[in-house]
Amino acid sequence: MRLALRRITRAASRAFHGNAVVRSAKNLRNGLIDRTFRRTATAEGRRLADELSHGGVREAAFTIAFNTPWAIDLLTHQWSRHHPEIRLVVVDNSNDRSARAAHEDLCRRRHVPYLPLPRNPEWSPNRSHGIALNWVWFNVVRHAGLDVVGFIDHDCIPVASLDLRSRLEGLAAYGMRGASLTHPQAWNLWAGYCFFRPAAAEGLAVDFKHRIEMGLDTGGGNWPGFYRRLDPASIGEAGYRIVQIELGDGRPPAAMLLLDEAFVHLDGASYREAFRDASIRQRLIESILARA
């Protein structure tokens, strides 16, 4: 009886949220929150843009930190080893003050540009991430004069060097491409591993929010006004495969994504239950460093 009730409830929820009128209202609501959020703390964004520009930085990758000092520690360490030619920037979307303090301390010690975002009004991790990316694009990227900009998940860890400049040679965008399951023509680049030439987006509608009605996750909002207006030949696709990462102590290995044979996505550093265990995290880090 309870199972049948749960199935009915889930079906009703899908029908409600999939309703075109409801979805349109939700998109209007999400758009309003996004536009309001990106108009906050704009001076801080412009200050970082000026810092990058005056420092001669032409290529930068931004990561959105969220309550995971151990992941930011691993990412910044590995980035300095494998991608020193591209400036990594940590933008902090954490809602935990101690995590923000730890992130800032790590970045200061490793000479990594750090920028704390204002309080994010979204409770959904997906929507929170999407509007954080939009904030970075509109308040930093558009003013920094960058030739290349990348977005990397805070748990997408470099394990080998990769010539990202060559990957983008002659292209407008590059990344892990995901197709919509509901709209055959629609696709987006995964927001956790994507690189762009900002000049290619000039005059186009950049939007890293999801588009549920199109079957597209975070970054899917770029399809209607950005990706579909680009020459398909100007989009490069990253290679990827599943690898098994040993966790030791008799635990089964964890299946994780390896991108371009150079980045391992830990997948869920901020919320995966197993990662709350310090011993598992340590073994995971050891496995990542051994693979590197």
Side-chain angles (χ1 to χ4, degrees):
M1 182 67 176
R2 290 180 179 177
L3 179 59
L5 182 60
R6 284 200 296 270
R7 286 174 176 171
I8 292 171
T9 301
R10 283 198 297 267
S13 177
R14 284 195 297 268
F16 175 77
H17 292 290
N19 179 276
V21 175
V22 172
R23 190 67 255 159
S24 178
K26 284 179 173 288
N27 284 345
L28 286 173
R29 172 258 184 205
N30 294 343
L32 176 61
I33 291 176
D34 177 24
R35 289 189 294 274
T36 301
F37 181 63
R38 76 174 66 158
R39 288 196 292 267
T40 60
T42 57
E44 284 77 1
R46 183 62 69 87
R47 192 175 300 116
L48 174 58
D50 290 344
E51 177 186 325
L52 295 174
S53 178
H54 295 158
V57 176
R58 309 302 300 173
E59 298 156 330
F62 296 83
T63 191
I64 306 297
F66 189 75
N67 297 343
T68 49
W70 67 271
I72 295 300
D73 186 17
L74 183 58
L75 173 62
T76 54
H77 174 268
Q78 290 295 94
W79 194 274
S80 66
R81 291 183 61 194
H82 296 295
H83 297 285
E85 76 285 359
I86 297 177
R87 184 65 56 86
L88 178 68
V89 180
V90 173
V91 179
D92 205 338
N93 195 36
S94 301
N95 55 19
D96 182 289
R97 289 185 179 180
S98 62
R100 286 198 174 211
H103 294 156
E104 184 175 13
D105 180 62
L106 276 165
C107 291
R108 182 178 62 254
R109 287 190 285 110
R110 290 191 173 149
H111 307 289
V112 174
Y114 170 86
L115 177 66
L117 284 178
R119 187 188 70 83
N120 196 308
E122 288 285 14
W123 60 267
S124 160
N126 182 301
R127 295 197 302 268
S128 175
H129 190 196
I131 69 173
L133 291 167
N134 280 347
W135 191 98
V136 172
W137 183 274
F138 288 97
N139 289 300
V140 182
V141 173
R142 290 208 311 176
H143 306 288
L146 298 169
D147 295 328
V148 171
V149 60
F151 291 102
I152 294 285
D153 255 18
H154 65 170
D155 56 0
C156 194
I157 309 299
V159 293
S161 297
L162 178 69
D163 190 345
L164 291 168
R165 292 170 174 168
S166 294
R167 295 295 172 115
L168 260 171
E169 187 68 35
L171 298 177
Y174 177 85
M176 180 179 168
R177 180 165 165 166
S180 166
L181 298 178
T182 58
H183 289 62
Q185 302 302 316
W187 57 268
N188 72 299
L189 297 180
W190 175 46
Y193 188 74
C194 53
F195 303 87
F196 309 92
R197 294 194 182 280
E202 194 68 35
L204 301 181
V206 172
D207 181 8
F208 285 94
K209 295 193 300 300
H210 62 15
R211 291 299 291 265
I212 288 179
E213 71 279 12
M214 291 185 176
L216 298 173
D217 203 349
T218 309
N222 281 319
W223 164 252
F226 181 20
Y227 294 154
R228 74 185 182 91
R229 301 182 185 279
L230 297 176
D231 179 351
S234 72
I235 310 295
E237 292 191 44
Y240 59 90
R241 62 186 176 91
I242 300 298
V243 295
Q244 302 296 323
I245 303 295
E246 296 295 331
L247 298 180
D249 296 331
R251 298 182 180 91
M256 296 182 182
L257 200 64
L258 178 65
L259 297 117
D260 285 333
E261 303 295 319
F263 287 82
V264 170
H265 182 223
L266 306 187
D267 189 17
S270 295
Y271 57 81
R272 187 182 282 198
E273 188 64 32
F275 292 165
R276 299 182 190 279
D277 186 315
S279 64
I280 292 180
R281 288 202 308 267
Q282 184 58 38
R283 180 55 187 158
L284 174 68
I285 291 169
E286 290 171 358
S287 294
I288 294 294
L289 295 178
R291 178 175 290 272

